[in-house]
Amino acid sequence: MSGNDLLYFLTTLPILLLALSVHEYAHAWAAVKLGDSTPKWEGRLTLNPLAHLDPVGLLALVLTRRFGWAKPVRVNPRNLANRKAGMVMVSLAGPGANVVLAILLSAIIKLIYGTYGFRRESTAFLIMALDQGVWINLGLAVFNLIPIPPLDGSKILAAVLSGDAARVYYRLEQYSYIILLVFIMTPLSRWILVPIVGALYRAIM
């Protein structure tokens, strides 16, 4: 790893951890608000990244610099007032929180750039780091909406499936990491995700 690569890694690691923590905290918060205290009992109602890290998902995020996942927040649908609608809302909370964080970071970038521009090297470096934060959060939001277990998109799809279709879909979970890694490491992820993330980036920047 070169000096620049190491510097990039050390700069973006806090942003990666923040993005993952905000994502999972939003899931936990939504579940608790909708009636299920399971995330609170399991210590997931926190922004502490150590409570949320999934080693494989973090590695994927570091390698791709865009796409990854954390340890899923466990939710008991039976505790929700409306099981299907509740699961959809809980599942959307994580990606939604990442989009909100991306918009907040973009606002900070515009404020710093409008005030200081790129006159100082430290300011330029900070802007570039925050810009990576925008990309990372948008990438997490879009990636996690893919309907592959255990990503959020799979829970949304499962909420509208029933009977045999739902049971077959849940069986895919045993192959989820293999499917995700194949998806990430092949051009398929770039063909599908990069245009969507790029469009969102241009919309908020």
Side-chain angles (χ1 to χ4, degrees):
M1 181 181 288
S2 68
N4 288 337
D5 289 338
L6 178 60
L7 182 60
Y8 172 86
F9 176 77
L10 293 176
T11 303
T12 57
L13 183 59
I15 299 174
L16 293 170
L17 296 177
L18 175 63
L20 290 172
S21 299
V22 166
H23 182 101
E24 296 304 326
Y25 173 81
H27 284 313
W29 180 87
V32 171
K33 287 296 181 180
L34 292 172
D36 182 27
S37 297
T38 303
K40 185 177 181 179
W41 296 336
E42 295 185 346
R44 304 300 300 278
L45 194 62
T46 176
L47 287 171
N48 182 354
L50 296 179
H52 304 300
L53 288 185
D54 180 294
V56 179
L58 180 61
L59 178 62
L61 192 55
V62 170
L63 292 176
T64 64
R65 302 180 182 180
R66 293 290 186 275
F67 314 121
W69 61 92
K71 183 170 60 176
V73 169
R74 287 206 315 148
V75 178
N76 187 344
R78 290 177 293 181
N79 293 331
L80 304 176
N82 185 314
R83 293 186 185 184
K84 290 189 176 182
M87 283 304 299
V88 170
M89 293 174 67
V90 170
S91 299
L92 287 173
N98 286 126
V99 172
V100 170
L101 183 54
I103 293 172
L104 177 61
L105 292 176
S106 72
I108 296 173
I109 290 172
K110 293 171 185 176
L111 178 63
I112 295 174
Y113 181 77
T115 305
Y116 300 104
F118 285 101
R119 292 191 297 272
R120 300 177 183 175
E121 183 177 346
S122 58
T123 302
F125 188 80
L126 176 60
I127 290 176
M128 287 188 288
L130 293 173
D131 184 72
Q132 281 298 308
V134 174
W135 281 105
I136 288 168
N137 277 279
L138 292 178
L140 273 174
V142 174
F143 176 75
N144 276 279
L145 289 175
I146 297 171
I148 300 175
L151 299 180
D152 302 322
S154 70
K155 296 179 178 66
I156 295 171
L157 181 58
V160 301
L161 294 176
S162 61
D164 292 338
R167 285 189 288 273
V168 170
Y169 195 68
Y170 278 121
R171 288 196 193 106
L172 289 175
E173 289 194 10
Q174 61 184 312
Y175 308 109
S176 60
Y177 285 128
I178 297 174
I179 296 172
L180 284 172
L181 289 176
V182 169
F183 181 81
I184 291 171
M185 302 308 292
T186 60
L188 187 61
S189 61
R190 294 192 296 273
W191 295 340
I192 295 175
L193 301 179
V194 171
I196 300 174
V197 175
L200 290 173
Y201 176 86
R202 291 188 293 273
I204 69 172
M205 292 298 288

